[in-house]
Amino acid sequence: MPALTEQQLADDLTRAMKAREMSRVYVLRGLLTAAKNLKVERRGAALAEADLVQLVRREIRKREGGGVFAVKAGRSELVDQNRAERVFLEAYAPAPLAPAELEEAIRAIAARPAERTLGAIMGALRERFAGRFDGRQASEIARRVLAEPARA
């Protein structure tokens, strides 16, 4: 998948509008609005792909949370809508790292003596694999790796 850009999202929105795919239009409008709000927060600074991926992940989490409430309320149409929107948004997010790949990357980073702190490991992960890992899971693996004695 090519790099995610605001222009790509805007082009996809235009295509969805022309095709009258209203569910996609609403999702893309929401995503572009979130991107514009983030740009305003940063005083107009251009958004990197990692920022856009983070916004996509946030929108996916919203759909997951909404799906839980829709199930509790017995609203099957909302469950289906949330599921469809989540699938659509996941096409914009890079494939997440498998737990084994994540642990391998953390071990490679922690192998360098200068980077044997949790902050350094998480920073390096964010730099290399932005939006491709769960922060909580990465933190747990990093803590476990750091608890092991350093290999000389």
Side-chain angles (χ1 to χ4, degrees), residues 1 3 9-11 16 18 20 39 44 46 53 63-64 66 68 72 79 81 87-88 98 100 117 122 125 138 143 149:
M1 183 176 138
L9 292 173
D11 292 346
K18 286 180 179 178
R20 299 195 187 282
K39 280 177 74 170
V53 168
R63 299 318 187 277
E64 290 169 351
V68 169
K72 286 181 183 176
V79 171
Q81 178 185 348
V87 167
F88 175 67
T117 67
M122 296 303 286
L125 277 177
R143 288 177 202 278

Side-chain angles (χ1 to χ4, degrees), residues 5-152:
T5 63
E6 287 180 80
Q7 186 59 49
Q8 177 192 359
L9 292 173
D11 292 346
D12 289 351
L13 174 61
T14 302
R15 277 193 291 281
M17 289 171 81
K18 286 180 179 178
R20 299 195 187 282
E21 296 173 332
M22 295 315 289
S23 61
R24 289 178 185 246
V25 168
Y26 296 138
V27 172
L28 288 169
R29 278 185 180 161
L31 195 54
L32 283 167
T33 300
K36 286 178 184 171
N37 289 340
L38 186 59
K39 280 177 74 170
V40 168
E41 278 179 31
R42 295 184 178 178
R43 302 193 188 333
L47 298 179
E49 180 184 14
D51 297 323
L52 292 172
V53 168
Q54 191 174 19
L55 288 174
V56 169
R57 295 261 186 236
R58 185 179 307 149
E59 291 296 317
I60 290 170
R61 283 192 303 272
K62 283 182 186 177
R63 299 318 187 277
E64 290 169 351
V68 169
F69 288 114
V71 167
K72 286 181 183 176
R75 303 276 310 268
S76 62
E77 76 282 358
L78 286 178
V79 171
D80 295 340
Q81 178 185 348
N82 276 317
R83 187 174 299 123
E85 289 177 0
R86 222 175 41 236
V87 167
F88 175 67
L89 285 166
E90 285 170 353
Y92 288 102
L97 292 175
E101 292 174 309
L102 183 58
E103 184 166 351
E104 184 179 317
I106 290 171
R107 287 188 183 283
I109 294 166
R112 292 178 290 220
E115 305 217 1
R116 281 204 55 91
T117 67
L118 184 61
I121 290 172
M122 296 303 286
L125 277 177
R126 272 191 294 280
E127 189 177 299
R128 291 187 201 138
F129 304 107
R132 294 190 56 205
F133 64 93
D134 176 41
R136 185 175 296 131
Q137 182 184 33
S139 177
E140 289 170 7
I141 293 171
R143 288 177 202 278
R144 190 177 70 235
V145 168
L146 288 172
E148 297 171 356
R151 295 179 185 153

